[in-house]
Amino acid sequence: MLDQHSEDLELAKASGVLQAGSALRAWLADASGNLIDAATVLLPEVTGHELIDLLALGEETNEEGRPRSHAYTLYRSVVHTLGLRKGDHVTQRTVDLLNEAAAEWEMDQEVLEAVLTVATQPGHRLNADQLHRNLLSHSPAERDAWWGIDTYSMLNEASALHRLLRWAEQLPTPDRVRPLPAPATTWVRRPGAFMTVTGSTQEPPEEVARLAAVALVWTFTSPNRFLRDRATKAVVQLLLGYPDVLVGLLDQFLDQDAALVDDPYLFERLVLAAYGVLARTDASRAQPELLARIARRVLDSVYDNVAGAAHASRNALLCDAAARIVRMAHRTGGVSDEEAARSHHPHACPEVGEAPDENTLDARYPIRGKASERLWASLRSSFSGLADFTNYEVRPAVDHFSDLPLTTPRPSQPDSAPLVHEAVVLFRDSLPEAVRDVLASDESIRALLKNSWRQQQVLNEGQQQLLAACAPEPTREQLLAAAAVDKEWASRWVLDNAARRGWTPERFGAIDDIYGQGRGGREGHKAERFGKK
């Protein structure tokens, strides 16, 4: 059809518009959706102009001031055919039309799907490098509010992201990195399908693998742990044959862009994926130079700058994965004893600051608004005294902390120090003669000091006071070491920190209500809310 109307196309190429009386324009007005899609792809290649511009529909409106339905069809065609275009014919005007489709026609999800479709195309204007720049331009909270929410359920959908995951996880392990010889053909079971993998399967170009890895690494930021888990395994499988890509990702995310990334979920999973690649390829034996190189990168990024976004003190899982890499390298001589010692506990950390009191929390983060609408309720409910998160996450964590400075050696516990002899004598004399030998022994006194309920059963008030005097006065260091961090204080701190990191009811209240109620019962392994992240 385009060949038949070459004159119309030449005029359109020069003017940027298909003339009102042209036969091609009339034909396009009645064309089916499939032909409109074909024209959306081909006309920019032939004329250098987008179809929607050639038809000049941007200024045509109906009585309500909105573009006509045909304009919607054209915008939708731009979005849905993005993956069919030649990459060098995707221009800034194409990008503008995609942005207009998202903003004016509420095609956000479809635009994201289109962008993920072309993420692995080298040189494409909208590939994973552009996605990376776009995501970096937002704060972590802003990023989660669109990227995190839009990708949350893609794992369970027939989406471009799901296809990318399946492609990466089903790549065969390259023969050159197999620790043991593999049969010529093996059957690999994947969810929903059987497939054959042979040793002769062509490996993707390194640039394609890099772009795919960049896109998948960004899914590590999702609160959906099932997506994070599957993406982590997919990245490991993808990078088994691409050590330079792995090192480049660590440089990119842990060093160059770490401050802008500022996402503990991404840092921990990226380092864990690096450890997975090193373990799967038996790097200690087969690639000791690569192992040493990655170990030093991890030491500089995770154990160097205390104020760094990817420092070990901010994330226990990140620290664990990084320490495993360092230990592997240390065993092979890739890093020295002094270098390896940098990964040992304990680590210095930034000051955590103070937690607001309950009245301050009520003023800053009200549970409900004036019209009784839910505001901070979904987040505040996780930090009540009986909430699971407080009792099963916060309390067990802070029980391991005390106010004793790291520079002070841990003192002996007060209950192991010698008893006060004079007080023991007075306590013994206060007891009836029949029970003195039993209750006044050092062992019995220590046991009674630990059990206030038993004291009340066998001693009167005066004897309890004499018993208390038997315990030695604890030193300041012993008091600091014995006093655990209050879980209520810690819960208030975590809540305030979540708000300071960008959680607001406007951004995440509705989505957290959806994922926080009636999804999977009380078992631990389930997709999380954004507030929990």
Side-chain angles (χ1 to χ4, degrees):
M1 182 58 66
L2 297 184
D3 288 341
Q4 293 177 25
H5 297 87
S6 57
E7 292 184 5
D8 288 348
L9 291 175
E10 287 300 320
L11 291 173
K13 185 176 182 179
S15 65
V17 177
L18 275 171
Q19 300 304 313
S22 73
L24 180 58
R25 184 184 183 98
W27 178 79
L28 286 170
D30 296 325
S32 66
N34 289 342
L35 294 175
I36 291 296
D37 287 346
T40 301
V41 173
L42 294 175
L43 283 174
E45 296 180 12
V46 176
T47 68
H49 302 285
E50 296 289 337
L51 174 60
I52 197 169
D53 295 330
L54 290 171
L55 298 178
L57 292 183
E59 298 179 359
E60 295 183 15
T61 59
N62 59 15
E63 308 82 70
E64 290 79 25
R66 292 183 59 81
R68 297 182 185 276
S69 60
H70 192 45
Y72 169 80
T73 301
L74 295 177
Y75 274 107
R76 187 173 182 273
S77 184
V78 172
V79 175
H80 286 197
T81 62
L82 182 65
L84 302 176
R85 293 190 178 208
K86 293 180 180 179
D88 55 355
H89 285 89
V90 175
T91 64
Q92 182 56 48
R93 177 55 180 161
T94 314
V95 176
D96 293 341
L97 291 175
L98 292 171
N99 290 332
E100 291 172 15
E104 299 177 16
W105 295 99
E106 299 180 353
M107 297 185 192
D108 310 63
Q109 281 282 90
E110 294 167 278
V111 170
L112 179 57
E113 173 76 6
V115 168
L116 290 173
T117 300
V118 301
T120 60
Q121 292 188 24
H124 198 287
R125 181 184 289 265
L126 294 174
N127 65 17
D129 287 333
Q130 176 58 33
L131 176 66
H132 178 76
R133 290 189 289 269
N134 192 5
L135 290 168
L136 284 181
S137 68
H138 295 79
S139 70
E142 293 170 343
R143 189 188 304 143
D144 282 342
W146 70 272
W147 167 257
I149 291 175
D150 287 350
T151 59
Y152 194 97
S153 301
M154 281 189 175
L155 182 63
N156 303 318
E157 301 170 352
S159 64
L161 179 58
H162 196 180
R163 291 194 300 274
L164 181 59
L165 279 168
R166 291 187 63 192
W167 171 79
E169 66 190 7
Q170 293 181 12
L171 284 174
T173 301
D175 291 336
R176 64 183 181 280
V177 298
R178 289 182 185 273
L180 295 173
T185 301
T186 55
W187 288 93
V188 180
R189 178 71 173 97
R190 297 299 182 194
F194 284 96
M195 65 174 293
T196 304
V197 178
T198 65
S200 62
T201 301
Q202 184 178 3
E203 296 177 25
E206 184 170 296
E207 179 64 3
V208 172
R210 184 190 71 81
L211 291 169
V214 169
L216 290 176
V217 164
W218 275 110
T219 66
F220 293 167
T221 63
S222 176
N224 186 341
R225 65 173 67 185
F226 299 106
L227 175 55
R228 294 203 311 278
D229 290 349
R230 190 162 172 183
T232 304
K233 298 171 187 176
V235 168
V236 171
Q237 184 65 33
L238 171 63
L239 297 182
L240 290 178
Y242 301 96
D244 291 336
V245 173
L246 173 59
V247 173
L249 289 173
L250 294 173
D251 288 340
Q252 184 175 18
F253 285 94
L254 292 183
D255 183 21
Q256 300 166 14
D257 299 327
L260 294 175
V261 173
D262 193 21
D263 194 298
Y265 277 16
L266 187 151
F267 296 142
E268 78 180 32
R269 290 306 180 111
L270 178 56
V271 175
L272 186 61
Y275 173 69
V277 172
L278 295 171
R280 288 275 308 278
T281 57
D282 193 12
S284 298
R285 176 186 60 81
Q287 304 180 83
E289 298 84 4
L290 173 66
L291 175 58
R293 184 181 176 190
I294 291 178
R296 288 196 172 91
R297 160 52 56 218
V298 166
L299 282 169
D300 291 342
S301 301
V302 178
Y303 297 106
D304 191 11
N305 180 15
V306 174
H311 190 261
S313 64
R314 298 175 180 269
N315 189 318
L317 295 178
L318 167 65
C319 180
D320 180 65
R324 289 171 182 267
I325 293 175
V326 173
R327 286 198 297 269
M328 286 177 64
H330 182 240
R331 286 195 295 266
T332 63
V335 298
S336 65
D337 293 344
E338 293 75 14
E339 290 174 316
R342 292 163 59 190
S343 67
H344 297 167
H345 288 286
H347 307 297
C349 66
E351 290 289 337
V352 297
E354 289 299 320
D357 57 28
E358 285 291 345
N359 291 333
T360 303
L361 290 181
D362 290 338
R364 290 181 185 172
Y365 318 121
I367 294 176
R368 293 190 179 275
K370 295 180 179 180
S372 295
E373 72 275 17
R374 286 169 62 88
L375 295 179
W376 294 81
S378 61
L379 200 62
R380 292 286 297 272
S381 63
S382 296
F383 295 99
S384 63
L386 299 177
D388 286 354
F389 187 76
T390 294
N391 286 292
Y392 300 137
E393 297 292 338
V394 176
R395 181 185 53 75
V398 299
D399 275 349
H400 294 286
F401 291 89
S402 75
D403 289 331
L404 187 70
L406 289 175
T407 54
T408 303
R410 188 173 183 85
S412 60
Q413 295 300 311
D415 56 7
S416 64
L419 298 173
V420 179
H421 178 70
E422 295 79 3
V424 169
V425 172
L426 293 176
F427 174 65
R428 178 183 176 85
D429 293 342
S430 71
L431 297 173
E433 188 172 347
V435 297
R436 283 178 184 173
D437 292 338
V438 176
L439 295 183
S441 67
D442 286 0
E443 182 179 354
S444 296
I445 290 175
R446 292 185 190 280
L448 283 171
L449 285 170
K450 295 179 181 179
N451 193 332
S452 58
W453 181 85
R454 179 61 65 186
Q455 290 179 34
Q456 296 172 10
Q457 298 299 309
V458 300
L459 303 176
N460 60 37
E461 187 175 343
Q463 291 168 335
Q464 292 179 47
Q465 293 176 355
L466 292 172
L467 173 67
C470 295
E473 190 71 24
T475 64
R476 176 178 177 275
E477 289 74 17
Q478 287 173 331
L479 289 173
L480 291 174
V485 174
D486 176 34
K487 71 169 186 178
E488 303 294 345
W489 181 94
S491 295
R492 296 196 304 274
W493 186 94
V494 173
L495 171 60
D496 187 56
N497 184 64
R500 285 186 280 113
R501 286 190 65 86
W503 195 101
T504 64
E506 295 76 18
R507 283 176 175 152
F508 302 110
I511 195 73
D512 274 4
D513 283 343
I514 293 173
Y515 291 121
Q517 297 180 7
R519 294 179 62 84
R522 297 172 64 87
E523 73 275 7
H525 196 64
K526 57 181 177 241
E528 301 164 354
R529 290 180 282 165
F530 285 84
K532 291 292 182 70
K533 178 187 177 184

